[in-house]
């Protein structure tokens, strides 16, 4: 029988306890039985890139976009949901109507954990009509998909319940995520936190961490600090993505963002090696937001940071 590292640690600790029981203080005994969160796995960026290539192909086959109400959106939904179903998630396709077209959210629950303390991670899956939306927001969508698949591969047994979401019609004003919250009603009291990932592979990236909640912000900032990656406080994001309706509903929110429009200050320009006035993503909301419009290092770092955050926050 192979034992998980956690079981092995617990057994070693138990053995030590028996041997030196007389010498142990109560504090040490308590420490020995405390839950130590397992380290999150490294998420292969090649897998995230492969998903982005699939989303690009879907756009190519459907008029160049994956926008709400267009066939490329539903094809994106089918691709993501198929992978989650095969990995053992309990998935739900939540429908809504907007602008005379049917919209969809995908909700994917990992079985187990305390549902009264649910940790959610979400990304919008729709693009603008003008392009394939690979950085905005294939990047966040593929990033959380690969973290979800890692949860399955590792057989994660979280203390808190874990739910992933892919939102429809964000580009029309966070319609899908707002719909989800409307249907949830007072169910928001069971949400421990909501983490949002919108644009995490910008070509000239900054590492923005949402500053809305200190506990959630710290989990990300600590991870980037261990990698010696300087982060920036996300302030311009207020109200600009799917975390906004959660925040308005009183749910603690956090998240990552690698930049959309412009580097504003000389300080930022120096930090990210650009110039003030230069875009983080020159193809933001444009036809050139293709699979070439991705910084692999930012995508890799941000995806690994998401995995770490979910492992920590659900333990
Ligand atoms: N989808 C967002 C939008 O189109 C992207 C974005 C811009 C964003 N600024 C942000 C997301 C700040 C998070 C935080 O506006
Ligand atoms: Ca990685
Ligand atoms: Zn957008």
């Amino acid at each position: 029988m192979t034992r998980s590292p956690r079981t092995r640690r617990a057994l070693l600790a138990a053995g030590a306890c028996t041997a030196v029981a007389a010498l142990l203080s109560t504090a040490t005994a308590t420490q020995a039985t405390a839950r130590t969160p397992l380290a999150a796995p490294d998420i292969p960026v090649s897998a995230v890139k492969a998903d982005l290539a699939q989303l690009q192909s879907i756009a190519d086959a459907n008029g160049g976009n994956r926008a709400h109400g267009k066939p490329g959106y539903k094809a994106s939904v089918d691709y993501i949901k198929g992978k989650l179903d095969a990995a053992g998630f309990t998935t739900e396709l939540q429908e809504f109507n907007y602008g005379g077209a049917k919209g969809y959210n995908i909700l994917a629950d990992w079985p187990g954990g305390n549902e009264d303390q649910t940790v959610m991670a979400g990304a919008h899956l729709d693009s603008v009509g003008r392009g394939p939306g690979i950085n905005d927001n294939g990047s966040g969508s593929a990033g959380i998909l690969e973290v979800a698949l890692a949860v399955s591969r590792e057989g994660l047994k979280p203390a808190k319940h874990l739910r992933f979401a892919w939102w429809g019609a964000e580009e029309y004003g966070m319609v899908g995520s707002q719909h989800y919250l409307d249907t949830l009603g007072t169910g928001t009291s069971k949400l421990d936190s909501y983490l949002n990932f919108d644009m995490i592979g910008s070509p000239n990236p900054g590492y923005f961490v949402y500053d809305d909640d200190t506990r959630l912000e710290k989990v990300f900032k600590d991870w980037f600090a261990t990698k010696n990656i300087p982060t920036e406080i996300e302030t311009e994001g207020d109200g600009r993505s799917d975390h906004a309706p959660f925040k308005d509903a009183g749910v603690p929110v956090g998240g990552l963002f690698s930049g959309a429009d412009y580097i504003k200050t000389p300080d930022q320009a120096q930090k990210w090696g650009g110039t003030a006035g230069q875009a983080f993503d020159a193809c933001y909301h444009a036809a050139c937001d293709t699979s070439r419009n991705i910084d692999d290092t930012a995508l890799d770092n941000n995806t690994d940071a998401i995995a770490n955050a979910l492992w920590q926050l659900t333990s």
Side-chain angles (χ1 to χ4, degrees):
M1 176 191 167
T2 52
R3 294 187 196 284
S4 73
R6 178 183 289 157
T7 313
R8 221 178 293 127
R9 256 201 308 277
L11 288 174
L12 287 173
C17 281
T18 319
V20 292
L23 300 172
L24 274 180
S25 71
T26 315
T28 313
T30 306
Q31 210 173 23
T33 54
R35 272 183 101 95
T36 314
L38 297 174
D42 185 309
I43 308 298
V45 72
S46 56
V48 188
K49 297 269 293 182
D51 294 326
L52 292 180
Q54 289 300 312
L55 293 176
Q56 178 71 60
S57 299
I58 286 168
D60 291 346
N62 290 283
N65 70 72
R66 303 180 304 100
H68 166 72
K70 300 285 196 270
Y73 183 70
K74 184 55 166 48
S76 302
V77 164
D78 293 344
Y79 173 72
I80 302 274
K81 186 174 179 294
K83 292 223 155 190
L84 294 163
D85 287 333
F89 281 83
T90 304
T91 62
E92 184 198 338
L93 205 53
Q94 185 180 49
E95 298 188 5
F96 57 89
N97 287 289
Y98 181 76
K102 194 171 276 185
Y104 306 88
N105 294 328
I106 308 169
L107 296 158
D109 284 82
W110 182 240
N114 180 0
E115 293 189 16
D116 290 337
Q117 290 183 301
T118 297
V119 174
M120 283 190 74
H124 78 87
L125 183 55
D126 64 314
S127 73
V128 290
R130 223 173 298 146
I134 298 303
N135 185 36
D136 181 15
N137 184 30
S139 63
S141 294
I144 65 168
L145 172 63
E146 289 306 323
V147 173
L149 299 181
V151 164
S152 166
R153 275 197 304 275
E154 303 272 317
L156 186 68
K157 300 212 169 11
K160 295 180 184 174
H161 185 65
L162 179 55
R163 178 179 301 144
F164 292 88
W166 286 260
W167 308 118
E170 184 271 353
E171 300 290 4
Y172 288 91
M174 307 132 210
V175 178
S177 51
Q178 184 63 62
H179 175 78
Y180 174 74
L181 285 162
D182 291 346
T183 61
L184 201 57
T186 55
T188 51
S189 66
K190 297 184 173 194
L191 298 185
D192 170 271
S193 44
Y194 172 73
L195 304 177
N196 193 61
F197 305 100
D198 188 356
M199 304 182 73
I200 60 166
S202 302
N204 180 31
Y207 290 94
F208 295 95
V209 178
Y210 294 12
D211 67 344
D212 305 81
D213 179 277
T214 18
R215 177 179 69 103
L216 303 174
E217 181 185 23
K218 183 172 160 42
V219 174
F220 289 114
K221 281 179 69 175
D222 287 354
W223 186 87
F224 282 106
T226 65
K227 307 280 167 188
N228 288 312
I229 298 168
T231 55
E232 199 65 18
I233 298 168
E234 212 308 286
T235 47
E236 64 162 326
D238 297 347
R240 284 190 70 176
S241 191
D242 297 296
H243 56 294
F246 281 85
K247 188 176 181 176
D248 291 348
V251 178
V253 301
L256 299 174
F257 173 57
S258 57
D261 16 47
Y262 296 100
I263 296 178
K264 293 192 176 98
T265 66
D267 260 18
Q268 292 183 335
Q270 192 175 358
K271 186 175 236 168
W272 297 310
T275 54
Q278 187 182 346
F280 293 103
D281 179 356
C283 291
Y284 175 54
H285 285 184
C288 59
D289 186 8
T290 65
S291 44
R292 285 181 304 282
N293 188 46
I294 289 288
D295 182 284
D296 291 2
T297 305
L299 187 70
D300 192 4
N301 285 329
N302 283 324
T303 306
D304 290 338
I306 296 168
N308 173 72
L310 293 184
W311 254 253
Q312 299 289 324
L313 291 170
T314 59
S315 69

